[in-house]
Amino acid sequence: GLRSIPSLAQFRRLRYLWINNNKIQDLTFLTKNYYLTELYLNNNELTDISGALKHLCSLQILFLHNNELRKLGKTVKELKGMISLQTLNLFQNPLAYDPDYRLYVIYFLPSVQLLDRKLVTQRERESALHLYNPKRAWVMQSIAFGKRADTSLGTTVGSSRCTQPARRPIIPSVLKWFGNVQVMDVLCSFCRVPFEDPEDAVLVRATTRSLMEFSSVDWNKVATCQERRLKNKAEEPLEKLTVQFR
């Protein structure tokens, strides 16, 4: 039944705090507890946490469910500095009824792994990126690292909100004199050539990816030094296997 708590400043190294199942509306008593790693504020009467928790950068677990938090943007903004936050509960608050609530929290609080008692999946992270940063999602899809993107640069990314039309980059005329190989050789000089649109530079880079080549031989067919010296094994022509990666 507690409605208020006196300052806990004297407990500067306090790490775990359970004050759930009360009627607390104000969190100013936590202004000096920088070492908190677990904070349980669920089942209270909090309506706003702005300016009350952002200094708790060591928090790993934060329970705020079953309160009266209404403003999703202000609540998430207060938690953005918590780079160690892994477990977060916000359900049973009015803000949780926002149609994009879960994706919003996942995008702006990327360290959270368990949200409202459910694991954050890779698909949810991709959907959140497509929804709140479609331009970055489009670039990440068109420039693949470690794998080749199967979709073309002009295809739709994610939902209908996140589409990008196919565009032809405006490349300086000097680049038209070279073939594909020559263009790749002088790619390092592209950064010194101005583009009318920065996205054109991204498109040029995406269409001229570096080429890697790996070669290997069947070492079972290669004679050892001793065999060569004793001439007990006839030399066989080596077959070289070459694999190219773009």
Side-chain angles (χ1 to χ4, degrees), residues 6-242:
S7 174
L8 300 179
Q10 59 179 316
F11 307 108
R12 292 184 177 273
R13 295 191 176 274
L14 182 65
R15 296 187 61 187
Y16 312 102
L17 180 61
W18 286 264
I19 48 177
N20 48 299
N21 300 308
N22 285 288
K23 298 181 179 180
I24 297 171
Q25 299 179 356
D26 183 21
L27 298 177
T28 54
F29 58 90
L30 294 173
T31 54
K32 300 295 183 181
N33 303 104
Y34 301 102
Y35 287 89
L36 275 172
T37 58
E38 297 184 15
L39 180 58
Y40 302 86
L41 294 169
N42 48 299
N43 302 308
N44 278 287
E45 297 180 358
L46 295 170
T47 58
D48 188 10
I49 60 171
S50 298
L53 300 178
K54 61 183 177 181
H55 62 289
L56 304 179
C57 298
S58 299
L59 266 186
Q60 299 177 11
I61 299 176
L62 176 60
F63 283 10
L64 283 168
H65 56 278
N66 197 18
N67 277 281
E68 296 297 327
L69 300 173
R70 298 182 179 275
K71 297 183 178 180
L72 178 60
K74 291 183 65 177
T75 301
V76 171
K77 183 179 180 181
E78 184 69 15
L79 309 180
K80 275 187 177 181
M82 300 179 183
I83 58 177
S84 300
L85 188 61
Q86 298 180 7
T87 303
L88 175 64
N89 281 354
L90 288 172
F91 62 94
Q92 292 183 346
N93 280 284
L95 58 77
Y97 294 102
D98 187 289
D100 294 323
Y101 148 75
R102 186 171 175 87
L103 294 183
Y104 185 90
V105 175
I106 290 173
Y107 177 75
F108 288 102
L109 301 177
S111 64
V112 173
Q113 300 177 13
L114 189 66
L115 176 60
D116 293 345
R117 300 181 294 191
K118 291 177 58 179
L119 282 172
V120 177
T121 65
Q122 182 60 31
R123 175 170 293 185
E124 286 180 317
R125 294 193 187 279
E126 293 173 357
S127 298
L129 182 64
H130 293 162
L131 180 61
Y132 293 103
N133 197 341
K135 186 172 293 186
R136 180 181 176 187
W138 177 63
V139 171
M140 289 181 65
Q141 184 198 39
S142 59
I143 305 178
F145 294 91
K147 64 178 182 178
R148 174 126 186 188
D150 295 328
T151 55
S152 61
L153 298 181
T155 55
T156 301
V157 180
S159 63
S160 58
R161 309 184 193 184
C162 315
T163 58
Q164 284 285 357
R167 305 180 64 246
R168 182 170 181 172
I170 304 175
I171 306 176
S173 58
V174 65
L175 302 181
K176 298 177 182 178
W177 297 346
F178 300 97
N180 291 336
V181 177
Q182 286 78 7
V183 168
M184 291 177 63
D185 291 339
V186 299
L187 184 60
C188 59
S189 65
F190 283 11
C191 57
R192 296 191 291 271
V193 180
F195 287 83
E196 294 184 8
D197 191 325
E199 292 184 3
D200 292 337
V202 175
L203 288 173
V204 171
R205 181 64 185 90
T207 56
T208 55
R209 303 178 187 179
S210 300
L211 187 67
M212 294 184 294
E213 180 177 298
F214 297 91
S215 299
S216 61
V217 297
D218 186 356
W219 290 100
N220 293 324
K221 297 181 180 180
V222 178
T224 64
C225 295
Q226 184 177 6
E227 289 172 336
R228 288 180 179 177
R229 186 169 57 253
L230 299 176
K231 296 182 180 181
N232 291 333
K233 187 173 182 179
E235 290 286 346
E236 298 181 8
L238 299 179
E239 296 181 2
K240 185 171 69 171
L241 174 63
T242 301

